[in-house]
Amino acid sequence: MCLAIPAKIIALDTSNDRATVTVDNVQVEVSLALVDDVVIGDYVLVHVGYALNKIDQDEALKTIALFAEAGLSWAS
Amino acid sequence: MKYIDEFREHSLAQQLANAIKQEADNNRTYRLMEFCGGHTHAIFRYGIQDLLPDNVEFIHGPGCPVCVLPMGRIDNAIELVEQHDVILCIYADLLRVPASLGKSLLKAKASGGDIRMIYSTQDALKIARDNPNREVVFFAIGFETTTPPTAVAIKQASEQGLKNFSIFCNHVLTPSAMQAILDAPEPVSIDGFLGPSHVSTIIGSQAYEIFAQHYLKPIVIAGFEPLDVMQSSLMLIRQLNTSRHQVENEYTRAVTRTGNVKAQSLMNEVFCLRDEFEWRGLGLIPKSALKLRANYAQFDAELRFQLPAIKASDVKGCECPAILRGAKRPVDCKLLGTVCTPENPMGSCMVSSEGACAAYWSYGRLRGARTNKLSA
Amino acid sequence: MTKTGDIRQSRTNLDIRNGQVNLSHGSGGRAMAQLIASIFVKHLDNELLRQGNDQALFNVEAGRMVMSTDSHVITPLFFPGGDIGSLAIHGTVNDVVMSGAKPLYLSAGFILEEGYPLAELEKIVISMAAAAKQAGTAVITGDTKVVERGKGDGVFINTCGIGVVPAGVNISGNRAQAGDAIILSGSIGDHGVAIMSSRENLQFATTIISDSASLHNLVADMLDVTKDIHCLRDPTRGGLATSLNELAAQSAVGMVIEEQKIPIKSAVRAACEILGLDPLYVANEGKLVCICPAEHAASILTTMQQNPLGKNAAIIGKVISDDNHFVQMNTAFGGQRIVDWLAGEQLPRIC
């Protein structure tokens, strides 16, 4: 039951604890009840209409680098 | 799609596949249980097994909440609709799950039951506000990922004084399932786990440390994209090759060791442990599921409608229980593809697209057909 | 639109702006005649409809005729890129032209729910008239029934269409042969996503509009290249995956398609990702699949791409011989999978 997708926050409605997020120009309203300190431009993981967590952008890049590294160690 | 497409990149898949081929020891097998249905889905949808050597084998785990829901609970939900005339709000995934006597929520809806498919717990609250003269029950289901949104809804219902809203709670806990698999009287041979992905964003990777320490099994918290699954498999192979058994985290972009503390405290505020709960395939597991705390008990549909505990038996011959434990594969079931198909599912593993049988049927049959042809 | 009586006399006294459909509009009396005259005949106007009989009388061309019927029920009735009126024309015209036929005439049967606003009904009929004209056809006979409030969903429309197949054209779902090329006329899933985005319980916003369109010109262009086309099908409900499986089963063949070749708009992909849907199973209303001998594929493709309704056309795979009649797909990721029939309804899932 864990279909979740990374989406970018493009508008905040702090009085209602809600945000508008977008994935490739598809916009969805989500609840921010489960996350703190998000700002416009953050990526959050969206599940059943709720932001579950922020995506750590540095960690994402590190993981992608790991994929490439695995291939290089094989090639060398 | 940022943070999705990068993790489906074909050229990197080839590199990772080569690294796995290089590092996997030909003289042994690697039996890796992918815990979540999300992993199962990715393995079949992207054809990951085609990219891996034969001695790296995936064993499908119990991490699909629709699949592990015992049939009696669907019977209860149908009773809510048919006997108590409630508006039942469900995630659409539940619609086709078989209940006793060949029933399902889909059929109950066709017979006039007021069953509404919702996308979020917020929708269920709205339906309750819009129908003040009807009882509205939300069929709450899911692991720790889906539980916090239910907790938020309960708190809001309480604050708003919603008298006609309640939940039929079926939230279950992943560490309990992992423990049940490892403690089984005849344990399945598993070398390591691809650990829960989105569940771990909430409960953190530390929840699994006890298994690595106590059962000496390596666990890698693995994202649901295909490159995540491959990278995590490589990390497990490396641990096994060096006789390590640690919790490692591949899904660092969304999972920390401690998880989402705010969501955890919300869950703790609203829910407490049940003494025991029945899981399909795994039986009664102590302290493996959640119920509403006493101060939110007025929102508990089981109490409000005095729902009985129904002990329903699975369809004869259905191997879902063994498949959910990892003890059998979908191809080992005699019903698969004969009487049990996605159009007419006999067991829950054929219903949810995260279910091992449905994933095999939709995506994996091709491989089966090729293998048969080779062996014939 | 039958039993119209004296149209000019009945054209008075129907308050389209504020009025609603009531049971008398389906009773066969003066109220029904007024409704027919003031909305249906007024906008769908043509010589055959104006005959005002219980049937339309016309001459047929020599040759083979095709006939098809399609009932249209859709929520919501108005959606981005179309409405039930234009859809009721496009759907049936496309079913007719998938035989290679030139569409000729249509019938329309309306089932209206008591209480439906007349102004909305008029909008739907105006849209139908425009779509019929654009498709080079005309609605020449019709019927109206009214059901009690709560027993319908506003408006249901059944249309029936006839057309004539040019000599030398032999298009059928059972003619696909190993070696044939599979051509898709454009991006998939637009209609389904547009509909879902406008349903109130799925709150997402997108700029995607329905692809609803009549494909008669596109098919005519393709037949100008060669009459040697084996199969045509419009992948509506059940999406591309279902159409390919139907064709594979009918022709007793297998298929291999390439995921990377299938055009999908990024917003459609994203919406499907959010809802847990597979775009291969999402509905289209203005696309077609063409199966033809490989030697014609390039020239048919070039012609399709010159038509606005085929500008993103692509060769997406080929027909193979396979006793299992599997439709298989080489994934962009480098693996292989089966693309099966749609099981049950496509519903947003959360796991």
Side-chain angles (χ1 to χ4, degrees):
Chain A
M1 224 23 57
C2 305
L3 193 90
I5 180 169
K8 185 181 184 177
I9 295 184
I10 54 168
L12 288 171
D13 173 7
T14 37
S15 56
N16 290 309
D17 218 9
R18 295 184 70 77
T20 306
V21 301
T22 177
V23 184
D24 281 15
N25 290 323
V26 177
Q27 294 175 15
V28 191
E29 292 265 313
V30 299
S31 164
L32 296 177
L34 303 174
V35 288
D36 283 322
D37 305 325
V38 290
V39 295
I40 288 174
D42 278 349
Y43 279 79
V44 288
L45 202 54
V46 173
H47 174 63
V48 295
Y50 288 78
L52 289 185
N53 238 335
K54 266 196 269 191
I55 302 279
D56 186 322
Q57 313 204 19
D58 292 337
E59 288 294 337
L61 293 175
K62 280 188 205 164
T63 304
I64 294 166
L66 271 185
F67 300 154
E69 212 174 275
L72 291 179
S73 69
W74 168 79
S76 59
Chain B
M1 293 176 290
K2 196 165 165 64
Y3 300 123
I4 296 178
D5 291 335
E6 304 94 308
F7 296 89
R8 296 178 183 174
E9 173 57 42
H10 165 65
S11 59
L12 291 175
Q14 276 308 326
Q15 292 192 28
L16 272 172
N18 289 333
I20 289 171
K21 273 192 198 102
Q22 186 76 5
E23 297 194 30
D25 179 352
N26 288 331
N27 297 314
R28 61 160 296 172
T29 57
Y30 298 85
R31 289 173 55 83
L32 313 180
M33 174 173 272
E34 87 275 7
F35 189 87
C36 290
H39 296 131
T40 309
H41 193 77
I43 288 166
F44 283 111
R45 174 168 175 189
Y46 297 97
I48 293 174
Q49 190 82 62
D50 291 341
L51 301 170
L52 300 185
D54 288 341
N55 58 334
V56 178
E57 188 186 340
F58 290 115
I59 301 159
H60 313 310
C64 159
V66 170
C67 305
V68 296
L69 188 74
M71 210 181 244
R73 303 294 281 185
I74 302 278
D75 293 346
N76 282 143
I78 291 174
E79 181 186 325
L80 278 172
V81 173
E82 292 184 344
Q83 317 281 327
H84 300 282
D85 195 31
V86 308
I87 299 176
L88 185 72
C89 299
I90 63 166
Y91 294 131
D93 310 58
L94 283 167
L95 203 57
R96 293 168 55 242
V97 182
S100 297
L101 306 170
K103 287 189 174 183
S104 67
L105 289 168
L106 182 71
K107 289 176 186 167
K109 186 173 189 293
S111 311
D114 195 344
I115 298 172
R116 317 262 179 108
M117 279 162 285
I118 57 163
Y119 180 66
S120 168
T121 56
Q122 294 298 317
D123 305 336
L125 289 178
K126 181 171 188 300
I127 290 170
R129 286 192 297 268
D130 291 349
N131 295 274
N133 300 321
R134 297 281 305 277
E135 283 288 336
V136 176
V137 181
F138 169 56
F139 192 142
I141 181 174
F143 292 114
E144 295 92 330
T145 328
T146 319
T147 309
T150 307
V152 172
I154 290 291
K155 285 201 56 167
Q156 287 176 345
S158 177
E159 284 156 19
Q160 295 165 8
L162 267 181
K163 297 260 184 285
N164 63 328
F165 178 76
S166 58
I167 67 162
F168 177 45
C169 185
N170 293 276
H171 287 303
V172 288
L173 304 171
T174 50
S176 313
M178 193 173 273
Q179 176 139 16
I181 283 172
L182 290 164
D183 281 344
E186 293 168 31
V188 178
S189 146
I190 297 165
D191 295 316
F193 288 93
L194 296 172
S197 166
H198 294 145
V199 162
S200 303
T201 67
I202 301 294
I203 66 171
S205 62
Q206 68 179 357
Y208 306 97
E209 286 169 4
I210 184 168
F211 302 111
Q213 285 157 15
H214 189 80
Y215 297 91
L216 313 181
K217 300 288 183 195
I219 298 168
V220 175
I221 306 300
F224 280 151
E225 296 301 337
L227 289 180
D228 290 320
V229 172
M230 294 183 74
Q231 171 69 20
S232 302
S233 303
L234 178 61
M235 289 164 76
L236 279 175
I237 289 166
R238 284 175 177 166
Q239 283 206 45
L240 290 164
N241 285 350
T242 51
S243 302
R244 285 182 296 131
H245 42 85
Q246 296 161 338
V247 173
E248 291 182 313
N249 182 7
E250 184 275 340
Y251 196 35
T252 51
R253 61 190 184 276
V255 173
T256 59
R257 183 166 178 273
T258 49
N260 182 336
V261 177
K262 187 180 187 185
Q264 288 167 21
S265 69
L266 261 169
M267 276 197 286
N268 285 333
E269 188 186 334
V270 173
F271 296 105
C272 59
L273 284 175
R274 288 179 194 257
D275 292 336
E276 58 179 17
F277 192 75
E278 189 194 344
W279 293 55
R280 187 190 289 237
L282 302 174
L284 282 172
I285 307 181
K287 307 213 183 308
S288 65
L290 300 173
K291 64 176 181 187
L292 287 164
R293 284 190 184 275
N295 48 332
Y296 290 105
Q298 73 266 33
F299 297 107
D300 189 337
E302 281 178 79
L303 299 176
R304 189 178 293 195
F305 301 100
Q306 297 182 339
L307 294 179
I310 299 175
K311 184 85 185 141
S313 31
D314 288 315
V315 172
K316 204 163 169 257
C318 170
E319 296 284 9
C320 277
I323 290 166
L324 287 164
R325 283 197 304 275
K328 288 196 172 168
R329 296 168 303 162
V331 282
D332 298 327
C333 181
K334 289 191 177 67
L335 304 188
L336 181 84
T338 52
V339 289
C340 184
T341 59
E343 287 75 24
N344 189 25
M346 291 290 128
S348 53
C349 297
M350 186 55 99
V351 176
S352 167
S353 63
E354 287 201 344
C357 296
Y360 173 85
W361 189 253
S362 302
Y363 304 133
R365 251 183 310 157
L366 186 61
R367 200 178 158 81
R370 274 204 309 262
T371 316
N372 289 343
K373 209 170 272 178
L374 288 177
S375 60
Chain C
M1 273 141 275
T2 56
K3 305 187 185 78
T4 48
D6 183 340
I7 289 163
R8 266 154 304 183
Q9 185 200 324
S10 330
R11 202 171 265 175
T12 54
N13 295 333
L14 191 71
D15 182 358
I16 292 178
R17 194 189 296 174
N18 301 308
Q20 294 177 325
V21 172
N22 62 52
L23 291 175
S24 68
H25 290 127
S27 64
R30 184 181 294 269
M32 188 169 101
Q34 281 177 339
L35 178 75
I36 290 168
S38 316
I39 294 184
F40 295 126
V41 175
K42 177 179 172 193
H43 295 295
L44 296 170
D45 186 47
N46 59 71
E47 196 180 331
L48 294 172
L49 189 61
R50 249 179 275 132
Q51 291 169 349
N53 292 317
D54 276 359
Q55 66 291 120
L57 182 71
F58 54 89
N59 292 321
V60 293
E61 299 177 31
R64 293 169 306 150
M65 314 262 328
V66 292
M67 175 169 159
S68 183
T69 185
D70 204 345
S71 295
H72 300 271
V73 298
I74 190 161
T75 308
L77 296 171
F78 294 86
F79 49 84
D83 56 66
I84 190 172
S86 53
L87 188 68
I89 301 294
H90 298 151
T92 295
V93 165
N94 289 344
D95 284 347
V96 167
V97 302
M98 289 307 121
S99 65
K102 174 181 182 290
L104 295 174
Y105 299 121
L106 296 163
S107 71
F110 291 84
I111 296 174
L112 309 175
E113 185 182 3
E114 183 185 17
Y116 192 72
L118 291 173
E120 300 288 296
L121 178 63
E122 184 177 42
K123 274 196 235 168
I124 289 169
V125 176
I126 289 171
S127 167
M128 269 183 104
K133 187 175 177 199
Q134 189 268 334
T137 68
V139 175
I140 58 169
T141 185
D143 179 54
T144 309
K145 293 286 185 302
V146 178
V147 293
E148 284 174 45
R149 189 182 271 273
K151 293 189 172 170
D153 201 2
V155 179
F156 299 143
I157 305 175
N158 170 276
T159 47
C160 177
I162 58 168
V164 60
V165 183
V169 171
N170 181 14
I171 294 170
S172 173
N174 63 2
R175 294 198 62 225
Q177 293 170 17
D180 283 357
I182 305 170
I183 309 176
L184 173 65
S185 68
S187 65
I188 57 169
D190 299 9
H191 177 72
V193 165
I195 296 296
M196 283 183 264
S197 75
S198 52
R199 287 200 178 141
E200 58 175 322
N201 58 345
L202 285 175
Q203 285 135 354
F204 68 96
T206 151
T207 52
I208 292 291
I209 61 169
S210 168
D211 58 350
S212 181
S214 292
L215 297 168
H216 57 293
N217 282 334
L218 182 64
V219 170
D221 290 352
M222 292 161 69
L223 286 169
D224 281 346
V225 177
T226 172
K227 287 181 177 163
D228 192 12
I229 289 174
H230 289 164
C231 317
L232 289 176
R233 188 138 306 177
D234 53 339
T236 54
R237 280 171 305 167
L240 176 66
T242 301
S243 287
L244 293 180
N245 273 286
E246 284 169 3
L247 294 169
Q250 256 183 291
S251 295
V253 294
M255 296 182 187
V256 182
I257 57 173
E258 305 293 328
E259 186 171 23
Q260 279 171 307
K261 301 274 176 64
I262 300 170
I264 304 178
K265 290 184 178 134
S266 67
V268 169
R269 273 186 75 212
C272 287
E273 205 67 48
I274 291 166
L275 298 172
L277 303 177
D278 186 336
L280 291 171
Y281 296 89
V282 177
N284 312 277
E285 287 292 348
K287 296 295 166 359
L288 64 80
V289 172
C290 165
I291 294 181
C292 66
E295 66 262 30
H296 301 315
S299 49
I300 291 176
L301 181 70
T302 308
T303 299
M304 288 173 80
Q305 287 167 339
Q306 284 158 9
N307 185 304
L309 293 176
K311 67 176 188 292
N312 295 315
I315 298 171
I316 60 163
K318 63 181 183 193
V319 179
I320 59 169
S321 59
D322 173 9
D323 295 341
N324 290 314
H325 310 157
F326 283 158
V327 177
Q328 26 176 310
M329 181 160 85
N330 292 324
T331 72
F333 195 68
Q336 285 168 328
R337 56 174 264 206
I338 287 186
V339 175
D340 203 1
W341 295 80
L342 175 64
E345 200 184 340
Q346 265 284 68
L347 294 168
R349 60 185 182 91
I350 67 152
C351 81

